[in-house]
Amino acid sequence: MEVEQLELLLPKKPPLMQYKVGPHLMLYCRPPTSEESVMSDNEPVFFQSRNGPLLPTLRLVHQYPDIQFNKITVDKGAIPFILGGANIMCPGLTNVGGEMPGDGDKPGLEKGDGVVIYAEGKEHALAVGVMTMSSTTIRSKNKGNGVEVVHFLGDGLFQSAEIS
C-alpha cells in the first residue's frame, strides 16, 4: 500500500469519525478530502459489527482496487443470492469458478477472518463478509454456511454514501 493511499484511508488530521449505529455496529468515516466539496459530509470507510473484524465498505474497496484485502471468489450461480443478502454456502466456494486463499501458494483463511467477496468473471467486489469456518474446513466438509455476508451491493450501508 502506498503512503498516499494510507493517508487518504486513515488521515492524521482531521481524524476518522466514529459513529455507533444501533447496539452492535460501529461505523468509521473519513472527512471529505481536499479535492471534494467543503459542504460534503463524512464518508463511511470501515465498519465493525460487535467484536468482529474491522471491515472495509464496498465503496472503499471499489475506490482503491489495488489494496489487497482477504479475497474470495464465488461461482456465477451464487451472485443473485448474495445480492439479496444471503450467506455464502460452501459449494459456492468449492465449485468450478470459486476460489479461496489456500488455492496454490497462498495461505488459507481462518474462522472469523474478514473477506471481500468477488464473483466469477466480475471485476468489482459484490460483498464483504466474515468466514464462519476455515478455508481448509470448507474444502473438506463442503456443506453448510461458509461465509456470513455482512455488507453487499445495494444494502443500506452501500446506499449511504455520506454520514452527517
Side-chain angles (χ1 to χ4, degrees):
M1 182 180 316
E2 295 179 19
V3 175
E4 296 84 28
Q5 288 179 333
L6 189 59
E7 295 271 336
L8 284 172
L9 294 177
L10 303 170
K12 293 178 183 173
K13 291 188 179 183
L16 288 176
M17 297 296 296
Q18 179 179 347
Y19 296 96
K20 187 169 184 174
V21 183
H24 303 293
L25 183 69
M26 295 302 291
L27 190 60
Y28 300 91
C29 301
R30 67 176 176 196
T33 60
S34 58
E35 299 92 36
E36 296 172 356
S37 168
V38 181
M39 299 300 289
S40 183
D41 292 323
N42 294 324
E43 173 191 11
V45 288
F46 295 103
F47 67 98
Q48 184 176 25
S49 181
R50 297 185 184 214
N51 293 331
L54 189 64
L55 299 169
T57 63
L58 282 171
R59 289 189 185 277
L60 179 75
V61 172
H62 293 164
Q63 190 173 7
Y64 298 101
D66 297 333
I67 297 176
Q68 298 298 313
F69 296 104
N70 288 336
K71 171 185 172 179
I72 61 171
T73 305
V74 296
D75 64 8
K76 289 180 181 179
I79 296 171
F81 299 103
I82 295 169
L83 292 177
N87 292 330
I88 299 171
M89 304 305 283
C90 293
L93 298 167
T94 58
N95 289 346
V96 176
E99 290 180 27
M100 288 182 290
D103 293 338
D105 300 337
K106 303 176 218 163
L109 295 168
E110 296 300 320
K111 179 179 179 177
D113 285 351
V115 291
V116 176
I117 303 158
Y118 289 81
E120 174 188 11
K122 303 296 180 189
E123 180 180 350
H124 299 290
L126 66 135
V128 176
V130 178
M131 300 290 290
T132 58
M133 57 179 83
S134 70
S135 55
T136 306
T137 306
I138 290 173
R139 283 189 190 85
S140 63
K141 191 175 174 184
N142 202 23
K143 285 187 178 183
N145 182 9
V147 179
E148 178 186 0
V149 173
V150 293
H151 172 40
F152 57 93
L153 287 176
D155 70 1
L157 179 57
F158 186 79
Q159 291 176 0
S160 59
E162 297 175 344
I163 305 293
S164 53

